[in-house]
Amino acid sequence: MAKTFSKPTSILFMLFTIFFFSTYVIADEAPVFPKNLPPSSLGLKQQKLSHLHFYFHDIVSGPKPTAIRVAQAATTNTSPTGFGAMAVIDDPLTLLPGNTSKVVGQAQGIYTLASQSEEALLMVMNFAFTEGQYNGSTLSVLGRNTVFSTVREMPIVGGSGVFRFARGYAQAKTFTFDTKSGDAVVEYNVYVLHH
């Protein structure tokens, strides 16, 4: 005579079986963390190289500065390089070097004096464009800026909007620097690959 399970035991056995097999099926169809996609699936087209030219106005003096020191180390004031000072910026980007020139965007981010042996900044900023075909798009800069070198080169590490998947470099060259106020105008030439 065959042994039969009680009704509650049969229901538990059936639920366990359904759960076990559904877990197996679900696990087999689970999403994969890395997945290769063709660039066209995101609407990406052939890469192009763009050159952007503008002037960066770093104003630390006056009633409405665009760069403000927000932190410093205990030893910053005795350091010959200002090591440890950090500023937050919202610097205008203009077509021409004059402060009344057309604004095409803002440089927004932070920089810090990051060297004990020379005046070198760590720059972490976005160029947020507000004019023309790049309006609403950004480029992200992360790099070293030795401010008294004639030309400094910093990497473009990404972007948004028109500049998604961007990479390239920015060359900075001081146009004017006021030793009394600390205000500076810097010429930028940016070369960026993007879709």
Side-chain angles (χ1 to χ4, degrees), residues 114-148:
S115 174
Q116 295 183 57
S117 59
E118 63 181 322
E119 288 79 6
L121 301 172
L122 167 63
M123 306 285 289
V124 181
M125 64 181 169
N126 289 314
F127 294 140
F129 298 103
T130 57
E131 284 293 322
Q133 67 188 30
Y134 303 131
N135 183 20
S137 298
T138 66
L139 287 172
S140 298
V141 177
L142 173 63
R144 185 170 192 261
N145 181 348
T146 53
V147 294
F148 291 120

Side-chain angles (χ1 to χ4, degrees), residues 61-112:
S61 68
K64 196 172 177 186
T66 62
I68 298 174
R69 184 181 286 197
V70 294
Q72 67 182 33
T75 57
T76 295
N77 290 334
T78 59
S79 168
T81 64
F83 179 67
M86 179 183 291
V88 173
I89 64 168
D90 186 15
D91 291 345
L93 306 175
T94 62
L95 282 177
L96 299 171
N99 61 2
T100 59
S101 178
K102 181 175 181 150
V103 175
V104 296
Q106 299 293 127
Q108 298 171 327
I110 60 173
Y111 58 73
T112 187

Side-chain angles (χ1 to χ4, degrees), residues 21 31 41 54 57-58 60 62 71 82 85 119 128 135 142 157 160:
F21 284 110
S41 70
F54 50 82
H57 297 259
D58 195 52
V60 298
E119 288 79 6
N135 183 20
L142 173 63
V157 296
S160 66

